[in-house]
Amino acid sequence: MKTYKLAIAGGGSTYTPGIVRSLMDRLEDLPLSEIRFYDIDGERQSKVVVAAKAVIAEYTDSIKVIDTTEPETAFDDVDFVFAQMRVGKYAMRELDEKIPLSHGVVGQETCGPGGLAYGLRTIFPMVELIDFVEKYAKESCWIVNYSNPASIVAEGVRKLRPNAKVINICDMPVATMRNMAGILGVNREDLVVDYFGLNHFGWFTKVEVDGVDRLPELREHISKWGLLTEDISKIDYRHADASWIKTFKNIKPIMDFFPDYIPNPYLQYYLLPDYIVENSNKEYTRANEVMDGREQSLFETVRKFEETGILDDAFHVGVHGIFIVDVTISIAQNLAKRYLVMVENKGTIPNLPADAMIEVPALITSKGPVPEYVGEIPYFHKAMIDQQLASEKILVEAITEGSYEKALQAFTLNKTIPSAIVAKKILDDLIEANKEYWPTLT
Ligand code: NAD
Ligand code: LMR
């Protein structure tokens, strides 16, 4: 039987134990001989690996586990790498959110100025990871990347390492489909959807079950409750935190205005920025909610496990863990399963630039994703995408050229920022905050 060696870069992530459980649930489809955990913060990772090892022990004793901060030890001869790095960790996420909010602008980790800041921190570490993998791993090795901000990371990789075997994925479309399925009372796997856009910036244009169009039913439901079931407790939401409940409810006002398609929930930041800012707590953002919630409960679980030997399932698999493993199995077994992932446009949407990194349905094969032709998109959506794309592409030019002016252009073009004056104020504050991470911009 063929077995695989898999490395997780960003092994200290809050998502690691859930992803490991998902891997264990699918060992028949993806038999593993080794899991290597790699992180630049060895201390954090070692705590998380305690939980990961306890999960693995529930299933098997035949998988070798390596916990390392050495790239060669991590990637030597591996078949797959999962990437889930948060460059600057939660401390920097908090600043990405709070600095823009202090200027009256959306504060979010992947959208608006916070996303641009996180992008400037992440592109070079992502390129470094690709170089490590190309140096040490098998030639056939694929990197399956969750590291955010995925859209900017995807553009950076396209530009700086165009031939790298990286597939950029996001759990938001799958999580949105999980909610749709809950509302319709069907399994998520039974939904057939069409979708186009950029990452965290797209629209579902078709939702069918057994060949029947279920969009009208979803529209009706969303007009009352947003993208949540009537009784929230009836669905197992990973997104059960207060901020996510608000986010799924915000699909309603967006669809009251534009009922044709179902928006990716992150579009709230671009379509309702004033409303979002008015309803944000400048002192306590999503970073605080995660640090006090997901992060704290993971480390508390580890502490308790070390004390008592009892592993509370404070983390669960959820769509996040399921999706990355589904995509990897489709690559490993060349199943050509259809998933929403990021690909280079190359004519898939003829009225967008050929070199845009778009998010669309694609068949996932051992040679990579093969996108399905989408066709021309309406002018409204195209105009929004073009503006966002320009902001992200110019940001990548800013970092590769070390250009302050291009960074300012990228910020000014971002739809969440009202003027070049505000863009400059936020950029200058973010430069100060990111001294340790960003290249010098002159
Ligand atoms: P986290 O802070 O808990 O974990 C991230 C880990 O990455 C940390 O242990 C950190 O030390 C490590 N790291 C930072 N820089 C690194 C580098 N250069 N090399 C190796 N490791 C490095 O973060 P989290 O909340 O668990 O999120 C992990 C990642 O997944 C983030 O990038 C987040 O934005 C992303 N994410 C993506 C999706 C998606 O669907 N695309 C959903 C959720 C989270
Ligand atoms: C966040 O913390 O908002 C992201 O990591 C995504 C999520 O689902 O929590």
Side-chain angles (χ1 to χ4, degrees):
M1 182 179 59
K2 181 167 173 43
T3 58
Y4 299 93
K5 294 184 189 125
L6 182 140
I8 300 185
S13 156
T14 51
Y15 291 98
T16 295
I19 287 178
V20 168
R21 188 174 291 288
S22 177
L23 284 167
M24 294 303 102
D25 286 340
R26 304 293 299 279
L27 277 178
E28 278 189 17
D29 299 310
L30 194 74
L32 297 173
S33 59
E34 281 185 37
I35 304 183
R36 318 242 186 102
F37 297 94
Y38 168 75
D39 205 291
I40 53 169
D41 182 342
E43 203 185 324
R44 178 185 175 96
Q45 172 168 272
S46 291
K47 288 187 196 146
V48 176
V49 169
V50 169
K53 276 186 177 165
V55 171
I56 295 169
E58 288 177 22
Y59 293 76
T60 175
D61 57 9
S62 66
I63 295 177
K64 183 174 168 194
V65 172
I66 296 178
D67 170 1
T68 184
T69 54
E70 291 296 325
E72 184 169 1
T73 312
F75 305 121
D76 180 47
D77 200 39
V78 295
D79 300 275
F80 289 102
V81 175
F82 288 179
Q84 45 167 359
M85 304 177 297
R86 182 182 291 287
V87 179
K89 293 183 279 191
Y90 276 93
M92 290 310 297
R93 176 180 183 170
E94 190 176 3
L95 294 175
D96 290 344
E97 294 170 351
K98 290 186 177 172
I99 289 173
L101 275 173
S102 73
H103 294 280
V105 168
V106 165
Q108 211 281 325
E109 67 162 342
T110 64
C111 301
L116 298 173
Y118 189 14
L120 287 173
R121 284 201 302 280
T122 310
I123 289 170
F124 287 147
M126 188 65 200
V127 166
E128 184 187 52
L129 175 71
I130 291 168
D131 292 347
F132 287 146
V133 171
E134 286 190 349
K135 186 165 173 196
Y136 300 120
K138 288 204 174 92
E139 216 185 311
S140 58
C141 178
W142 276 92
I143 301 175
V144 189
N145 180 50
Y146 258 148
S147 311
N148 268 325
S151 209
I152 294 168
V153 169
E155 170 60 11
V157 171
R158 185 199 69 77
K159 189 152 179 169
L160 298 171
R161 293 293 181 272
N163 300 316
K165 285 204 175 85
V166 179
I167 176 163
N168 294 290
I169 64 168
C170 174
D171 69 17
M172 193 73 256
V174 201
T176 308
M177 288 165 68
R178 170 203 58 201
N179 287 20
M180 290 176 188
I183 291 165
L184 296 173
V186 299
N187 292 324
R188 175 173 64 83
E189 293 73 17
D190 296 335
L191 298 181
V192 177
V193 301
D194 282 345
Y195 181 92
F196 70 78
L198 310 174
N199 178 241
H200 287 183
F201 204 100
W203 290 265
F204 289 88
T205 58
K206 179 180 100 175
V207 182
E208 282 183 5
V209 181
D210 296 330
V212 178
D213 176 11
R214 304 294 292 266
L215 251 180
E217 216 174 308
L218 285 171
R219 277 192 198 104
E220 177 68 25
H221 180 98
I222 289 167
S223 71
K224 297 192 181 98
W225 292 288
L227 200 70
L228 286 167
T229 46
E230 210 171 324
D231 176 357
I232 290 169
S233 68
K234 275 196 187 144
I235 289 191
D236 168 31
Y237 284 106
R238 174 183 126 225
H239 292 102
D241 289 342
S243 64
W244 273 108
I245 299 292
K246 267 204 244 172
T247 297
F248 286 118
K249 283 190 179 158
N250 283 345
I251 303 279
K252 171 184 158 48
I254 296 175
M255 286 194 72
D256 285 345
F257 292 137
F258 310 115
D260 276 7
Y261 304 152
I262 297 181
N264 185 302
Y266 284 93
L267 277 167
Q268 66 173 348
Y269 299 110
Y270 298 98
L271 291 167
L272 314 170
D274 45 356
Y275 174 81
I276 295 291
V277 172
E278 266 167 42
N279 289 281
S280 295
N281 180 346
K282 294 181 174 57
E283 312 301 327
Y284 194 88
T285 58
R286 173 70 182 153
N288 301 110
E289 193 179 37
V290 177
M291 287 187 274
D292 294 345
R294 188 166 78 222
E295 195 180 41
Q296 201 177 313
S297 81
L298 171 59
F299 290 114
E300 181 54 23
T301 298
V302 171
R303 197 194 55 75
K304 203 169 147 202
F305 175 76
E306 285 184 312
E307 231 173 71
T308 65
I310 297 166
L311 185 72
D312 283 345
D313 220 340
F315 41 87
H316 64 275
V317 175
V319 287
H320 185 84
I322 292 171
F323 184 50
I324 192 165
V325 177
D326 276 344
V327 167
T328 306
I329 291 171
S330 197
I331 298 172
Q333 298 191 19
N334 198 22
L335 297 178
K337 289 254 179 117
R338 185 178 184 271
Y339 297 119
L340 304 179
V341 298
M342 282 155 256
V343 292
E344 191 168 350
N345 182 15
K346 292 182 176 164
T348 302
I349 301 176
N351 58 342
L352 287 180
D355 63 359
M357 290 303 292
I358 55 171
E359 194 165 56
V360 289
L363 304 181
I364 309 302
T365 74
S366 55
K367 290 196 175 135
V370 181
E372 227 172 56
Y373 181 74
V374 171
E376 298 218 338
I377 58 172
Y379 211 41
F380 173 69
H381 308 83
K382 172 183 160 42
M384 278 189 65
I385 289 173
D386 276 333
Q387 183 177 1
Q388 177 70 9
L389 187 64
S391 168
E392 293 177 353
K393 276 186 175 290
I394 294 172
L395 186 87
V396 173
E397 288 178 5
I399 193 174
T400 50
E401 295 168 23
S403 163
Y404 178 89
E405 191 178 335
K406 286 205 167 168
L408 185 56
Q409 288 177 347
F411 275 64
T412 305
L413 266 173
N414 198 281
K415 194 167 159 49
T416 61
I417 302 179
S419 78
I421 299 168
V422 179
K424 183 168 177 5
K425 285 183 184 158
I426 298 175
L427 175 60
D428 290 347
D429 282 1
L430 285 169
I431 287 175
E432 188 59 28
N434 281 278
K435 267 196 221 139
E436 230 186 283
Y437 298 97
W438 287 4
T440 309
L441 301 173
T442 52

